[in-house]
Amino acid sequence: MINRIVACLYILFGYCLSLYITKIKLIENVQTKYLANDGKLGKKKGAIKAVKILSAVLVGFIVIVIAGMQFYRVNKWWIDGSNSDALSGLNGTFAGTILSAILMVIGVVILVIITLLPTLLLNAAAVVDGYIYKSTQKNSGKNMSLQKKNGTGNETDEYIIQQRNHPKNQL
């Protein structure tokens, strides 16, 4: 039961952290691309810097994992003659407990890093530009009147209202 609770809490933590990183990347892109001249640049500076550092750590982790896999693939000589019972002598000792705690912390850090790897795939510029384009298109569609002139050249307001309320014209 405790394992399931811990797993659920970790999933929620990873999900919330991924959403927060995504939000910060989008805010950074909006600030640098659209608000650079407005003087509003400066919100969430610390979080943006932390996310940039985290992204660099994630990229470095990918490089280390790929290099480690290639090293392992090419050089398996260090496994052939190894004594796997060497660490079993530390079981139940203070040094073994410290080593286990250190390895647990390293394992949790690697798990968090692996969980956050999909956030590197986010193309914040494409998302922000798409959202801006969509909202601009929606606003310009509301502001433009669909005008039809009757025989005398006057606008027919009822026609405009009917066109706006028609199911085909609503998204």
Side-chain angles (χ1 to χ4, degrees), residues 16-30:
C16 292
L17 191 59
S18 295
L19 285 177
Y20 182 73
I21 289 172
T22 302
K23 176 184 170 186
I24 294 299
K25 283 185 173 187
L26 293 175
I27 287 172
E28 174 195 10
N29 194 284
V30 167

Side-chain angles (χ1 to χ4, degrees), residues 89-104:
L90 295 176
N91 287 344
T93 64
F94 182 71
T97 305
I98 297 295
L99 183 63
S100 295
I102 291 171
L103 292 177
M104 285 287 284

Side-chain angles (χ1 to χ4, degrees), residues 138-149:
K138 195 178 211 182
N139 288 337
S140 66
K142 286 180 183 177
N143 293 335
M144 287 177 40
S145 333
L146 299 173
Q147 300 175 359
K148 180 181 180 182
K149 298 191 178 195

Side-chain angles (χ1 to χ4, degrees), residues 5-78:
I5 291 172
V6 170
C8 288
L9 288 176
Y10 177 74
I11 290 170
L12 288 173
F13 171 74
Y15 181 72
C16 292
L17 191 59
S18 295
L19 285 177
Y20 182 73
I21 289 172
T22 302
K23 176 184 170 186
I24 294 299
K25 283 185 173 187
L26 293 175
I27 287 172
E28 174 195 10
N29 194 284
V30 167
Q31 285 183 354
T32 56
K33 194 167 187 179
Y34 295 103
L35 300 177
N37 297 330
D38 290 347
K40 295 180 182 177
L41 191 64
K43 291 184 177 179
K44 302 217 181 237
K45 279 186 177 181
I48 290 172
K49 188 177 281 191
V51 167
K52 283 184 178 183
I53 291 170
L54 180 65
S55 294
V57 167
L58 291 175
V59 170
F61 178 73
I62 291 173
V63 169
I64 289 171
V65 166
I66 291 173
M69 287 172 33
Q70 294 304 316
F71 180 76
Y72 172 76
R73 188 177 64 87
V74 173
N75 300 315
K76 294 182 185 174
W77 58 265
W78 53 277

Side-chain angles (χ1 to χ4, degrees), residues 81-121:
S82 66
N83 183 6
S84 60
D85 295 332
L87 292 177
S88 64
L90 295 176
N91 287 344
T93 64
F94 182 71
T97 305
I98 297 295
L99 183 63
S100 295
I102 291 171
L103 292 177
M104 285 287 284
V105 169
I106 291 172
V108 169
V109 168
I110 289 174
L111 184 64
V112 169
I113 288 174
I114 289 171
T115 302
L116 296 177
L117 283 177
T119 60
L120 289 176
L121 300 175

